[in-house]
Short mmCIF file of all heavy atoms in Angstrom, two decimals:
data_model
loop_
_atom_site.label_atom_id
_atom_site.label_comp_id
_atom_site.label_asym_id
_atom_site.label_seq_id
_atom_site.Cartn_x
_atom_site.Cartn_y
_atom_site.Cartn_z
N GLU U 1 -10.70 1.47 -7.93
CA GLU U 1 -10.98 1.27 -9.34
C GLU U 1 -12.05 2.25 -9.82
O GLU U 1 -11.93 2.86 -10.89
CB GLU U 1 -11.45 -0.16 -9.58
CG GLU U 1 -11.77 -0.48 -11.04
CD GLU U 1 -12.22 -1.91 -11.23
OE1 GLU U 1 -12.19 -2.67 -10.25
OE2 GLU U 1 -12.61 -2.26 -12.35
N ALA U 2 -13.10 2.45 -9.01
CA ALA U 2 -14.21 3.30 -9.42
C ALA U 2 -13.82 4.76 -9.51
O ALA U 2 -14.36 5.52 -10.32
CB ALA U 2 -15.38 3.14 -8.43
N THR U 3 -12.88 5.21 -8.66
CA THR U 3 -12.48 6.61 -8.68
C THR U 3 -11.35 6.88 -9.65
O THR U 3 -10.83 7.99 -9.71
CB THR U 3 -12.03 7.06 -7.27
OG1 THR U 3 -11.04 6.15 -6.79
CG2 THR U 3 -13.19 7.08 -6.30
N GLY U 4 -10.95 5.90 -10.42
CA GLY U 4 -9.92 6.13 -11.43
C GLY U 4 -8.58 6.42 -10.83
O GLY U 4 -7.85 7.28 -11.30
N GLY U 5 -8.23 5.71 -9.75
CA GLY U 5 -7.02 6.00 -9.00
C GLY U 5 -5.74 5.45 -9.60
O GLY U 5 -4.81 5.16 -8.88
N ALA U 6 -5.68 5.31 -10.89
CA ALA U 6 -4.44 4.89 -11.56
C ALA U 6 -3.87 3.63 -10.93
O ALA U 6 -2.68 3.50 -10.67
CB ALA U 6 -3.40 6.02 -11.52
N GLY U 7 -4.81 2.67 -10.67
CA GLY U 7 -4.37 1.41 -10.09
C GLY U 7 -3.89 1.53 -8.66
O GLY U 7 -3.16 0.72 -8.15
N GLY U 8 -4.38 2.57 -7.95
CA GLY U 8 -3.96 2.76 -6.58
C GLY U 8 -2.54 3.27 -6.49
O GLY U 8 -1.78 2.85 -5.61
N ALA U 9 -2.16 4.18 -7.37
CA ALA U 9 -0.76 4.62 -7.45
C ALA U 9 -0.28 5.28 -6.17
O ALA U 9 0.88 5.12 -5.80
CB ALA U 9 -0.59 5.58 -8.63
N ALA U 10 -1.15 6.03 -5.47
CA ALA U 10 -0.73 6.65 -4.20
C ALA U 10 -0.69 5.60 -3.10
O ALA U 10 0.25 5.56 -2.30
CB ALA U 10 -1.67 7.79 -3.84
N LEU U 11 -1.69 4.75 -3.03
CA LEU U 11 -1.72 3.72 -2.00
C LEU U 11 -0.54 2.77 -2.11
O LEU U 11 0.08 2.41 -1.10
CB LEU U 11 -3.03 2.92 -2.08
CG LEU U 11 -3.14 1.73 -1.12
CD1 LEU U 11 -3.05 2.19 0.33
CD2 LEU U 11 -4.42 0.96 -1.35
N THR U 12 -0.20 2.37 -3.32
CA THR U 12 0.88 1.39 -3.46
C THR U 12 2.26 1.99 -3.21
O THR U 12 3.25 1.26 -3.16
CB THR U 12 0.85 0.75 -4.86
OG1 THR U 12 0.86 1.76 -5.87
CG2 THR U 12 -0.38 -0.12 -5.02
N ARG U 13 2.34 3.30 -2.99
CA ARG U 13 3.57 3.90 -2.48
C ARG U 13 3.71 3.61 -0.99
O ARG U 13 4.81 3.70 -0.44
CB ARG U 13 3.59 5.41 -2.70
CG ARG U 13 3.70 5.84 -4.14
CD ARG U 13 4.16 7.28 -4.24
NE ARG U 13 5.53 7.42 -3.72
CZ ARG U 13 6.22 8.55 -3.77
NH1 ARG U 13 5.69 9.64 -4.29
NH2 ARG U 13 7.45 8.60 -3.30
N CYS U 14 2.59 3.28 -0.34
CA CYS U 14 2.56 3.15 1.12
C CYS U 14 2.54 1.72 1.61
O CYS U 14 2.77 1.47 2.80
CB CYS U 14 1.32 3.87 1.67
SG CYS U 14 1.13 5.58 1.15
N VAL U 15 2.20 0.77 0.73
CA VAL U 15 2.08 -0.63 1.16
C VAL U 15 2.77 -1.53 0.16
O VAL U 15 2.86 -1.23 -1.02
CB VAL U 15 0.60 -1.04 1.31
CG1 VAL U 15 -0.08 -0.23 2.41
CG2 VAL U 15 -0.16 -0.90 0.00
N SER U 16 3.22 -2.69 0.65
CA SER U 16 3.97 -3.62 -0.19
C SER U 16 3.09 -4.72 -0.76
O SER U 16 3.60 -5.75 -1.19
CB SER U 16 5.10 -4.25 0.63
OG SER U 16 4.58 -4.87 1.80
N CYS U 17 1.78 -4.51 -0.76
CA CYS U 17 0.85 -5.49 -1.31
C CYS U 17 -0.08 -4.78 -2.29
O CYS U 17 -0.04 -3.56 -2.42
CB CYS U 17 0.04 -6.16 -0.20
SG CYS U 17 -0.94 -5.02 0.79
N THR U 18 -0.91 -5.53 -2.96
CA THR U 18 -1.87 -4.93 -3.88
C THR U 18 -2.98 -4.25 -3.09
O THR U 18 -3.20 -4.51 -1.90
CB THR U 18 -2.50 -5.99 -4.79
OG1 THR U 18 -3.27 -6.89 -3.98
CG2 THR U 18 -1.43 -6.76 -5.56
N ALA U 19 -3.72 -3.37 -3.78
CA ALA U 19 -4.84 -2.69 -3.14
C ALA U 19 -5.87 -3.69 -2.64
O ALA U 19 -6.46 -3.51 -1.56
CB ALA U 19 -5.48 -1.71 -4.13
N ASP U 20 -6.10 -4.75 -3.39
CA ASP U 20 -7.09 -5.75 -3.01
C ASP U 20 -6.67 -6.48 -1.73
O ASP U 20 -7.48 -6.69 -0.82
CB ASP U 20 -7.30 -6.75 -4.15
CG ASP U 20 -8.41 -7.74 -3.84
OD1 ASP U 20 -9.55 -7.30 -3.69
OD2 ASP U 20 -8.12 -8.94 -3.74
N VAL U 21 -5.41 -6.86 -1.65
CA VAL U 21 -4.92 -7.54 -0.45
C VAL U 21 -4.96 -6.60 0.75
O VAL U 21 -5.35 -6.99 1.86
CB VAL U 21 -3.49 -8.08 -0.67
CG1 VAL U 21 -2.87 -8.55 0.65
CG2 VAL U 21 -3.50 -9.22 -1.68
N PHE U 22 -4.57 -5.35 0.54
CA PHE U 22 -4.63 -4.37 1.63
C PHE U 22 -6.06 -4.24 2.15
O PHE U 22 -6.29 -4.24 3.36
CB PHE U 22 -4.10 -3.02 1.16
CG PHE U 22 -4.25 -1.94 2.19
CD1 PHE U 22 -3.40 -1.89 3.28
CD2 PHE U 22 -5.26 -1.00 2.09
CE1 PHE U 22 -3.54 -0.91 4.26
CE2 PHE U 22 -5.42 -0.01 3.05
CZ PHE U 22 -4.56 0.03 4.15
N ALA U 23 -7.02 -4.11 1.22
CA ALA U 23 -8.42 -3.94 1.62
C ALA U 23 -8.93 -5.16 2.38
O ALA U 23 -9.67 -5.03 3.36
CB ALA U 23 -9.27 -3.69 0.38
N ARG U 24 -8.53 -6.32 1.95
CA ARG U 24 -9.08 -7.56 2.51
C ARG U 24 -8.42 -7.96 3.82
O ARG U 24 -9.07 -8.44 4.75
CB ARG U 24 -8.93 -8.69 1.48
CG ARG U 24 -9.58 -10.01 1.91
CD ARG U 24 -9.51 -11.05 0.80
NE ARG U 24 -8.14 -11.42 0.47
CZ ARG U 24 -7.53 -11.08 -0.67
NH1 ARG U 24 -8.16 -10.34 -1.57
NH2 ARG U 24 -6.28 -11.47 -0.90
N GLU U 25 -7.10 -7.74 3.93
CA GLU U 25 -6.38 -8.31 5.06
C GLU U 25 -5.89 -7.29 6.09
O GLU U 25 -5.62 -7.67 7.24
CB GLU U 25 -5.18 -9.12 4.54
CG GLU U 25 -5.58 -10.29 3.66
CD GLU U 25 -4.39 -11.11 3.19
OE1 GLU U 25 -3.29 -10.90 3.73
OE2 GLU U 25 -4.56 -11.96 2.28
N TYR U 26 -5.76 -6.03 5.69
CA TYR U 26 -5.14 -5.06 6.61
C TYR U 26 -6.02 -3.88 6.98
O TYR U 26 -5.97 -3.42 8.12
CB TYR U 26 -3.82 -4.55 6.00
CG TYR U 26 -2.78 -5.64 5.83
CD1 TYR U 26 -2.56 -6.23 4.60
CD2 TYR U 26 -2.06 -6.11 6.92
CE1 TYR U 26 -1.63 -7.24 4.45
CE2 TYR U 26 -1.12 -7.12 6.79
CZ TYR U 26 -0.91 -7.69 5.55
OH TYR U 26 0.00 -8.69 5.41
N TRP U 27 -6.80 -3.35 6.05
CA TRP U 27 -7.58 -2.14 6.30
C TRP U 27 -8.45 -2.31 7.55
O TRP U 27 -9.34 -3.14 7.60
CB TRP U 27 -8.44 -1.80 5.09
CG TRP U 27 -9.45 -0.71 5.30
CD1 TRP U 27 -10.80 -0.84 5.32
CD2 TRP U 27 -9.18 0.68 5.51
NE1 TRP U 27 -11.40 0.39 5.52
CE2 TRP U 27 -10.43 1.34 5.65
CE3 TRP U 27 -8.01 1.44 5.60
CZ2 TRP U 27 -10.53 2.71 5.86
CZ3 TRP U 27 -8.11 2.81 5.81
CH2 TRP U 27 -9.36 3.43 5.94
N GLY U 28 -8.16 -1.52 8.60
CA GLY U 28 -8.91 -1.56 9.83
C GLY U 28 -8.71 -2.81 10.64
O GLY U 28 -9.40 -3.02 11.66
N ARG U 29 -7.77 -3.68 10.25
CA ARG U 29 -7.62 -4.98 10.90
C ARG U 29 -6.25 -5.19 11.54
O ARG U 29 -6.16 -5.62 12.68
CB ARG U 29 -7.85 -6.11 9.89
CG ARG U 29 -9.27 -6.22 9.38
CD ARG U 29 -9.40 -7.38 8.40
NE ARG U 29 -10.76 -7.55 7.92
CZ ARG U 29 -11.28 -6.90 6.88
NH1 ARG U 29 -10.52 -6.05 6.20
NH2 ARG U 29 -12.53 -7.10 6.52
N ALA U 30 -5.18 -4.93 10.79
CA ALA U 30 -3.86 -5.33 11.28
C ALA U 30 -2.78 -4.38 10.76
O ALA U 30 -2.91 -3.83 9.66
CB ALA U 30 -3.54 -6.76 10.82
N PRO U 31 -1.70 -4.18 11.53
CA PRO U 31 -0.57 -3.37 11.06
C PRO U 31 0.11 -4.05 9.87
O PRO U 31 0.06 -5.27 9.72
CB PRO U 31 0.37 -3.31 12.26
CG PRO U 31 -0.46 -3.70 13.44
CD PRO U 31 -1.50 -4.64 12.91
N LEU U 32 0.77 -3.23 9.07
CA LEU U 32 1.54 -3.75 7.93
C LEU U 32 2.83 -2.97 7.82
O LEU U 32 2.81 -1.74 7.63
CB LEU U 32 0.74 -3.62 6.63
CG LEU U 32 1.50 -3.96 5.34
CD1 LEU U 32 1.96 -5.41 5.35
CD2 LEU U 32 0.64 -3.68 4.11
N LEU U 33 3.95 -3.67 7.96
CA LEU U 33 5.28 -3.06 7.79
C LEU U 33 5.76 -3.36 6.38
O LEU U 33 5.83 -4.52 5.97
CB LEU U 33 6.25 -3.63 8.82
CG LEU U 33 7.72 -3.22 8.68
CD1 LEU U 33 7.88 -1.71 8.82
CD2 LEU U 33 8.57 -3.96 9.72
N SER U 34 6.10 -2.32 5.63
CA SER U 34 6.61 -2.47 4.26
C SER U 34 7.99 -1.86 4.19
O SER U 34 8.17 -0.67 4.50
CB SER U 34 5.68 -1.77 3.26
OG SER U 34 4.36 -2.29 3.34
N ARG U 35 8.97 -2.65 3.79
CA ARG U 35 10.34 -2.17 3.71
C ARG U 35 10.58 -1.46 2.38
O ARG U 35 9.89 -1.69 1.38
CB ARG U 35 11.32 -3.32 3.86
CG ARG U 35 11.29 -3.98 5.23
CD ARG U 35 11.70 -3.00 6.32
NE ARG U 35 11.82 -3.67 7.62
CZ ARG U 35 12.10 -3.03 8.76
NH1 ARG U 35 12.27 -1.70 8.75
NH2 ARG U 35 12.19 -3.69 9.89
N ALA U 36 11.59 -0.59 2.38
CA ALA U 36 11.89 0.22 1.19
C ALA U 36 12.10 -0.65 -0.04
O ALA U 36 11.67 -0.29 -1.14
CB ALA U 36 13.12 1.08 1.46
N ALA U 37 12.75 -1.80 0.12
CA ALA U 37 13.04 -2.66 -1.02
C ALA U 37 11.77 -3.23 -1.65
O ALA U 37 11.78 -3.66 -2.80
CB ALA U 37 13.95 -3.81 -0.58
N GLU U 38 10.65 -3.21 -0.89
CA GLU U 38 9.39 -3.75 -1.39
C GLU U 38 8.51 -2.66 -2.01
O GLU U 38 7.47 -2.97 -2.59
CB GLU U 38 8.61 -4.40 -0.25
CG GLU U 38 9.38 -5.49 0.49
CD GLU U 38 8.64 -5.94 1.73
OE1 GLU U 38 8.54 -5.16 2.69
OE2 GLU U 38 8.15 -7.09 1.71
N LEU U 39 8.91 -1.41 -1.87
CA LEU U 39 8.11 -0.28 -2.34
C LEU U 39 8.71 0.32 -3.60
O LEU U 39 9.70 -0.18 -4.14
CB LEU U 39 7.97 0.76 -1.22
CG LEU U 39 7.28 0.24 0.05
CD1 LEU U 39 7.33 1.30 1.14
CD2 LEU U 39 5.84 -0.15 -0.24
N ARG U 40 8.12 1.45 -4.05
CA ARG U 40 8.49 2.01 -5.36
C ARG U 40 9.39 3.23 -5.25
O ARG U 40 9.32 4.12 -6.07
CB ARG U 40 7.22 2.38 -6.14
CG ARG U 40 6.35 1.17 -6.47
CD ARG U 40 5.26 1.52 -7.46
NE ARG U 40 4.29 2.44 -6.90
CZ ARG U 40 4.16 3.70 -7.26
NH1 ARG U 40 4.96 4.23 -8.17
NH2 ARG U 40 3.24 4.48 -6.73
N GLY U 41 10.22 3.29 -4.24
CA GLY U 41 11.14 4.42 -4.15
C GLY U 41 10.99 5.15 -2.83
O GLY U 41 10.12 4.85 -2.01
N SER U 42 11.86 6.12 -2.60
CA SER U 42 11.86 6.86 -1.34
C SER U 42 10.71 7.87 -1.33
O SER U 42 9.97 8.01 -2.30
CB SER U 42 13.19 7.58 -1.16
OG SER U 42 13.28 8.68 -2.06
N PHE U 43 10.62 8.61 -0.23
CA PHE U 43 9.56 9.61 -0.08
C PHE U 43 10.11 11.04 -0.11
O PHE U 43 9.40 11.99 0.23
CB PHE U 43 8.81 9.37 1.24
CG PHE U 43 8.26 7.98 1.35
CD1 PHE U 43 8.75 7.09 2.29
CD2 PHE U 43 7.25 7.55 0.50
CE1 PHE U 43 8.24 5.80 2.39
CE2 PHE U 43 6.74 6.27 0.58
CZ PHE U 43 7.23 5.39 1.53
N THR U 44 11.37 11.19 -0.53
CA THR U 44 11.98 12.52 -0.52
C THR U 44 11.38 13.45 -1.57
O THR U 44 11.57 14.67 -1.49
CB THR U 44 13.50 12.43 -0.72
OG1 THR U 44 13.77 11.69 -1.92
CG2 THR U 44 14.15 11.73 0.46
N ASP U 45 10.65 12.90 -2.56
CA ASP U 45 9.96 13.77 -3.50
C ASP U 45 8.75 14.44 -2.85
O ASP U 45 8.29 15.48 -3.31
CB ASP U 45 9.51 12.99 -4.73
CG ASP U 45 8.56 11.86 -4.38
OD1 ASP U 45 8.87 11.09 -3.44
OD2 ASP U 45 7.50 11.75 -5.02
N LEU U 46 8.26 13.85 -1.76
CA LEU U 46 7.12 14.42 -1.04
C LEU U 46 7.57 15.46 -0.01
O LEU U 46 6.89 16.47 0.20
CB LEU U 46 6.33 13.31 -0.35
CG LEU U 46 5.76 12.21 -1.26
CD1 LEU U 46 5.05 11.16 -0.42
CD2 LEU U 46 4.82 12.81 -2.30
#
C-alpha cells in the first residue's frame, strides 16, 4: 500500500489470495499452490 503498488497488481498475478492474507499466512511460512482458474490469466505475456 505504501509503495503505491496498484493494490499488489504484480503480486496478485502470483498468488490466489489477497496481499494481506499472503503476508499473514504464507510469506516466509508455508508453500502456496495457486491454480490458473484462481489467478488473473496466463503468463505468456511475460
Side-chain angles (χ1 to χ4, degrees):
E1 180 180 355
T3 53
L11 175 61
T12 53
R13 292 199 65 175
C14 307
V15 296
S16 56
C17 60
T18 65
D20 185 63
V21 169
F22 175 75
R24 185 175 63 251
E25 299 182 12
Y26 296 101
W27 171 248
R29 293 181 178 86
L32 173 62
L33 174 62
S34 302
R35 294 297 187 184
E38 304 171 291
L39 299 174
R40 296 191 294 109
S42 72
F43 304 113
T44 55
D45 60 312
L46 301 178

